[in-house]
Amino acid sequence: MLLEVACFNLESCVIAQKAGAKRIELCQNYSVGGITPDETTIIKARKQLNIALFVMIRPREGNFIYSDIEFEEMRSQIEFCKELKCDGVVFGILTEENKIDITRCQELIQLAKPLQCTFHRAFDEVKNSDQALEDCIASGFTRILTSGKHKTAREGIEDLQQLIEKSKNRIKIMPGGGIRSTNISELLNRTVATEFHTAALTDKSQIANETEIKKIIASF
């Protein structure tokens, strides 16, 4: 079992590592669901962490349909992460029809190699989950972060179950969205997922809660 913690600042990164998390998803601006952190933060995180560091590649808030200029910015951000020897990147690109933009995703995945690539919760905005699953696999993603197209992973348990079954071990399905120590056991028992994603925020400070992280890990 693996716990990934979404961290919106360096303090949370250090707390998550100390608490036993195995991977960090580094981003900033929690209020908009996370965008790419500034380069200084990425540099400092890479120096302070000895666990896996994945960086959010999202140039702005809002939808996941990007202009040519925004796409080039994403390319530059990925190249920067490669130079720093980060372990992975997290992104998602959709077409105007809310389908996976396979062409652009494949281009970024090829650019990112050998870094792992996670398709983030843009997945929860697609029209057809089954087709989107196949498109993510065809694109070459390592995993999909999703709440099963619901507000929270707990609400999307049945859809997460189906996605994991349909994936047939061709891609990892990582539940995320409102995961806490109070519901992790149910998610573990019903989804048979092996990776989980949480921000472990218990107040309005945007600082990960060490006790909450430890409680989640203790449930594995």
Side-chain angles (χ1 to χ4, degrees):
M1 293 295 172
L2 182 150
L3 182 66
E4 174 183 276
V5 178
C7 296
F8 298 88
N9 44 67
L10 288 171
E11 185 177 352
S12 292
C13 291
V14 175
I15 289 171
Q17 177 170 264
K18 180 182 177 183
K22 298 300 183 183
R23 187 167 65 225
I24 299 296
E25 181 201 69
L26 182 63
C27 41
Q28 67 182 29
N29 204 338
Y30 173 76
S31 64
V32 300
I35 59 174
T36 306
D38 62 79
E39 292 185 354
T40 299
T41 300
I42 301 173
I43 292 170
K44 289 181 178 179
R46 181 67 290 175
K47 288 180 178 178
Q48 294 183 42
L49 296 174
N50 51 42
I51 59 174
L53 174 62
F54 282 26
V55 178
M56 171 78 78
I57 306 296
R58 185 185 179 198
R60 58 159 171 80
E61 62 182 280
N63 66 33
F64 303 99
I65 305 165
Y66 298 113
S67 68
D68 290 343
I69 292 175
E70 289 168 336
F71 183 66
E72 286 305 312
E73 184 179 350
M74 295 173 79
R75 286 179 55 89
S76 296
Q77 291 165 342
I78 288 174
E79 288 175 336
F80 180 76
C81 291
K82 281 184 69 175
E83 290 173 5
L84 282 182
K85 300 189 183 303
C86 295
D87 301 284
V89 288
V90 182
F91 64 89
I93 306 177
L94 302 179
T95 67
E96 293 190 4
E97 294 77 30
N98 273 10
K99 297 179 180 180
I100 306 298
D101 190 330
I102 297 176
T103 301
R104 279 184 157 182
C105 285
Q106 284 181 333
E107 184 174 336
L108 293 187
I109 289 169
Q110 288 300 314
L111 177 65
K113 285 184 176 179
L115 277 59
Q116 293 187 33
C117 295
T118 299
F119 194 97
H120 59 40
R121 288 187 63 189
F123 187 89
D124 294 325
E125 297 190 12
V126 301
K127 289 184 177 180
N128 186 318
S129 296
D130 290 349
Q131 184 60 56
L133 171 65
E134 297 303 323
D135 290 344
C136 282
I137 293 169
S139 296
F141 283 98
T142 306
R143 67 182 54 73
I144 299 170
L145 168 62
T146 175
S147 61
K149 295 184 69 175
H150 291 257
K151 185 176 180 180
T152 67
R154 186 177 183 279
E155 293 171 323
I157 281 182
E158 291 184 5
D159 293 279
L160 287 166
Q161 283 177 315
Q162 293 176 13
L163 276 173
I164 292 170
E165 290 173 3
K166 291 174 181 176
S167 72
K168 297 178 181 178
N169 294 319
R170 293 173 294 162
I171 192 171
K172 292 183 182 295
I173 304 298
M174 179 169 63
I179 290 182
R180 295 291 181 270
S181 57
T182 53
N183 58 36
I184 186 63
S185 293
E186 183 180 5
L187 285 158
L188 278 166
N189 293 333
R190 295 185 59 187
T191 68
V192 300
T194 57
E195 298 186 2
F196 293 87
H197 174 98
T198 182
L201 300 179
T202 55
D203 54 34
K204 297 180 180 180
S205 69
Q206 295 191 22
I207 303 296
N209 185 290
E210 182 176 353
T211 301
E212 177 68 3
I213 295 170
K214 288 181 177 179
K215 285 182 178 179
I216 295 174
I217 293 172
S219 299
F220 289 171

